[in-house]
């Protein structure tokens, strides 16, 4: 039996995502009511620029006073899609204080202050849902914190930024340079006018913090995530990757240590074998590979950004929170019981691809090999090409700690026969 009194919803932000949320709530109102068990009514939309034209958005719902909207007292759910730290943080906590559940797409805020927000939600008996903060339409947060709640997740490896994947895919498939591929991404609307958050890995790092916290039941903040952008990836790197049967992706990698006593979270470009499922993820799509003890290997794939995909995730959370409201209950909150420390990047163990510019003369390879051996880094393969007194030396290592590899590279730079280190890239997915 459906309840007649509607559940009232306030929307904070009405850009690309907010406008699409409004459209879906309006055009699918009857379906949403049937799925929730009560009508769901959008009663207010807070924006900064009220005079902006918003097609399909009822003008009578627009307000510039977001604080007053969330303080109304009759609001059941607040949807926050304004992004950033403030005023989003204050508005969300105010919503909790006035009895509303919250649906958010704010990855930056959740990565920085997720623990405090969860604590506020628990204190006021409210829900905090944020599927849209990680991978757009791809169901990932709910499977990790609900479907896999009885399992032990050991690794989460994924492409969680569509802009960077589009750029790297273009570089791989067409041989384009970074700048050329970025220009194409911008022209097609995949990249912002200022793409720094994407190409320097800030966006992916925030998502990695959220994923690691959920997967390993511990608190991981944005500052805990090692971050390395992809602006230095070159066509030569892709050529080397192809020679190894690999491609290059910007990956978010969250891992539980082999002894189970710590975790790591990192974002950086990496070579992955063409046989790995993530290698075939093209264009602006996202995909996340999860490894769990009982479930084994799982892959989640789909559009990771854009108005419609993100709105889909927001509406899924809205239905869940509304159902909880009707049942006078709340969904799962923060699970951080393991309290595992986050290890520094220097402790991370992986393989490396190093390209060196060296003098083309006898004994160079022996000198380089000696440096690797002195720092405990084992060499898997070596390839050398030389011409007119100069040579390129490509070394692929066995698995080694990042700190040991860094020390090795510093020692190599001091050799007179090494003209420079052309590139260093990690090799993952093996």
């Amino acid at each position: 039996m459906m309840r007649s009194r509607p559940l009232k919803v306030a929307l904070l932000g009405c850009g690309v995502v907010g406008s699409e949320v409004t459209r879906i709530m309006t055009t699918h109102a009857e379906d949403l009511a049937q799925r929730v068990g009560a009508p769901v009514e959008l009663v207010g939309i807070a924006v900064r620029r009220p005079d902006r034209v918003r097609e399909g958005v009822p003008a009578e719902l627009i307000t510039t006073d977001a604080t007053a909207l969330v303080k109304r007292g009759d609001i059941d759910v607040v949807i926050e899609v304004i992004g950033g730290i403030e005023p989003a943080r204050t508005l969300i906590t105010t919503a909790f204080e006035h009895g509303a559940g919250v649906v958010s797409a704010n990855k930056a805020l959740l990565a920085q202050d997720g623990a405090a927000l969860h604590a506020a939600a628990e204190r006021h008996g409210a829900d905090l849902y944020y599927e849209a903060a990680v991978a757009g339409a791809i169901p990932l947060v709910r499977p990790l914190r609900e479907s896999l709640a009885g399992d032990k997740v050991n690794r989460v490896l994924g492409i969680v930024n569509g802009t960077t994947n589009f750029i790297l895919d273009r570089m791989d498939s067409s041989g384009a340079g970074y700048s050329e591929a970025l220009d194409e991404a911008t022209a097609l609307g995949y990249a912002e006018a200022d793409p720094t958050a994407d190409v320097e890995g800030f966006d992916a790092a925030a998502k990695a913090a959220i994923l690691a916290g959920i997967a390993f039941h511990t608190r991981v903040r944005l500052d805990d995530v090692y971050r390395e952008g992809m602006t230095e990836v070159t066509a030569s790197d892709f050529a080397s990757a192809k020679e190894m049967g690999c491609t290059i992706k910007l990956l978010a990698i969250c891992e539980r240590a082999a002894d189970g006593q710590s975790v790591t979270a990192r974002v950086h470009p990496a070579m992955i074998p063409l046989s790995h499922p993530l290698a075939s993820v093209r264009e602006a799509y996202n995909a996340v590979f999860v490894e769990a003890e009982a479930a084994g290997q799982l892959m989640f794939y789909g559009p990771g950004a854009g108005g419609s995909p993100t709105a889909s995730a927001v509406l899924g959370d809205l239905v869940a929170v509304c159902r909880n409201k009707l049942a006078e209950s709340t969904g799962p909150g923060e699970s951080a019981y393991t309290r595992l420390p986050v290890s520094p990047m220097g402790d991370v163990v992986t393989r490396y691809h190093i390209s060196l510019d060296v003098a083309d003369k006898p004994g160079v390879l022996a000198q380089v090999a000696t440096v690797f051996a002195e720092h405990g880094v084992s060499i898997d393969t070596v390839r050398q090409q030389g011409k007119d007194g100069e040579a390129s030396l490509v070394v692929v290592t066995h698995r080694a700690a990042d700190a040991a590899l860094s020390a090795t590279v510093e020692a190599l730079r001091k050799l007179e026969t090494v003209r420079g280190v052309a590139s260093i890239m990690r090799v993952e997915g093996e």
Side-chain angles (χ1 to χ4, degrees):
M1 182 176 178
M2 183 178 296
R3 191 182 78 165
S4 59
R5 185 177 72 81
L7 291 160
K8 296 184 179 182
V9 179
L11 175 63
L12 307 181
C14 197
V16 174
V17 176
S19 296
E20 189 64 12
V21 168
T22 302
R23 184 192 68 79
I24 295 174
M25 288 189 67
T26 302
T27 58
H28 298 283
E30 185 175 341
D31 286 338
L32 287 174
Q34 292 295 332
R35 293 166 191 172
V36 168
V40 180
E41 180 184 0
L42 183 59
V43 298
I45 304 172
V47 300
R48 287 184 298 174
R49 297 185 292 273
D51 297 332
R52 181 178 173 184
V53 177
R54 297 175 175 86
E55 187 175 348
V57 177
E60 65 273 15
L61 296 183
I62 296 294
T63 178
T64 57
D65 195 341
T67 301
L69 180 60
V70 299
K71 283 184 173 181
R72 276 180 41 164
D74 63 339
I75 302 296
D76 294 290
V77 185
V78 171
I79 299 174
E80 183 271 309
V81 289
I82 57 178
I85 306 302
E86 287 291 358
R89 174 171 50 198
T90 299
L91 291 170
I92 288 174
T93 54
T94 301
F96 292 146
E97 291 167 0
H98 287 77
V102 172
V103 173
S104 176
N106 195 332
K107 53 188 171 287
L109 178 58
L110 288 159
Q112 178 173 305
D113 290 321
L117 293 178
H118 275 292
E122 183 177 0
R123 189 162 56 250
H124 295 285
D127 272 323
L128 174 61
Y129 276 58
Y130 44 89
E131 186 69 69
V134 176
I138 305 172
L140 189 58
V141 171
R142 190 171 286 108
L144 281 174
R145 73 176 186 175
E146 296 183 37
S147 303
L148 294 173
D151 206 341
K152 182 180 181 181
V153 176
N154 290 318
R155 195 176 198 222
V156 179
L157 172 76
I159 299 165
V160 293
N161 183 278
T163 300
T164 55
N165 199 58
F166 179 89
I167 293 170
L168 292 173
D169 182 49
R170 280 293 185 268
M171 292 176 70
D172 185 25
S173 61
S174 69
Y178 167 76
S179 296
E180 184 181 353
L182 174 59
D183 288 344
E184 184 179 356
T186 303
L188 292 172
Y190 292 129
E192 301 288 345
D194 180 2
T196 302
D198 294 323
V199 300
E200 293 294 353
F202 291 101
D203 175 86
K207 295 171 180 177
I210 296 170
L211 289 174
I214 299 170
F216 306 133
H217 303 278
T218 194
R219 287 178 177 169
V220 179
R221 300 184 73 235
L222 182 58
D223 292 344
D224 295 324
V225 182
Y226 172 83
R227 177 194 56 79
E228 186 180 314
M230 46 150 290
T231 57
E232 301 299 319
V233 177
T234 66
S236 296
D237 291 326
F238 273 101
S240 295
K242 287 181 179 180
E243 290 179 359
M244 292 178 59
C246 292
T247 189
I248 299 172
K249 299 290 186 182
L250 184 75
L251 298 178
I253 305 171
C254 311
E255 294 179 304
R256 190 190 299 268
D259 62 5
Q261 299 305 302
S262 65
V263 300
T264 59
R266 51 197 165 104
V267 169
H268 54 71
M271 295 182 180
I272 58 172
L274 294 176
S275 58
H276 194 282
L278 292 178
S280 61
V281 178
R282 310 297 299 272
E283 300 286 331
Y285 277 74
N286 286 187
V288 178
F289 203 71
V290 177
E291 299 176 13
E293 283 196 357
Q297 297 179 332
L298 308 170
M299 182 165 164
F300 301 84
Y301 169 84
S308 294
T310 305
S312 172
V314 168
L315 267 295
D317 280 349
L318 175 63
V319 169
V321 174
C322 285
R323 287 171 175 170
N324 291 342
K325 277 283 183 180
L326 292 180
E328 298 182 348
S329 66
T330 56
E334 182 188 35
S335 175
Y337 72 93
T338 63
R339 296 183 176 86
L340 295 173
V342 182
S343 296
M345 186 63 189
D347 293 347
V348 171
V349 176
T350 189
R351 297 178 66 206
Y352 292 86
H353 176 283
I354 305 106
S355 180
L356 305 171
D357 295 326
V358 300
D360 187 15
K361 61 182 183 181
V364 173
L365 180 56
Q367 290 180 355
V368 169
T370 297
V371 170
F372 275 89
E374 288 174 346
H375 290 84
V377 179
S378 177
I379 294 175
D380 183 14
T381 63
V382 177
R383 185 177 71 256
Q384 184 174 5
Q385 294 177 326
K387 184 179 181 181
D388 298 329
E390 298 295 329
S392 173
L393 189 65
V394 176
V395 178
V396 178
T397 74
H398 287 290
R399 291 175 62 82
D402 187 84
L405 194 282
S406 296
T408 301
V409 171
E410 287 305 307
L412 288 171
R413 295 183 194 277
K414 296 176 182 179
L415 293 178
E416 291 185 3
T417 51
V418 175
R419 311 296 194 214
V421 180
S423 69
I424 305 171
M425 190 164 295
R426 296 168 184 87
V427 182
E428 301 285 349
E430 294 184 318

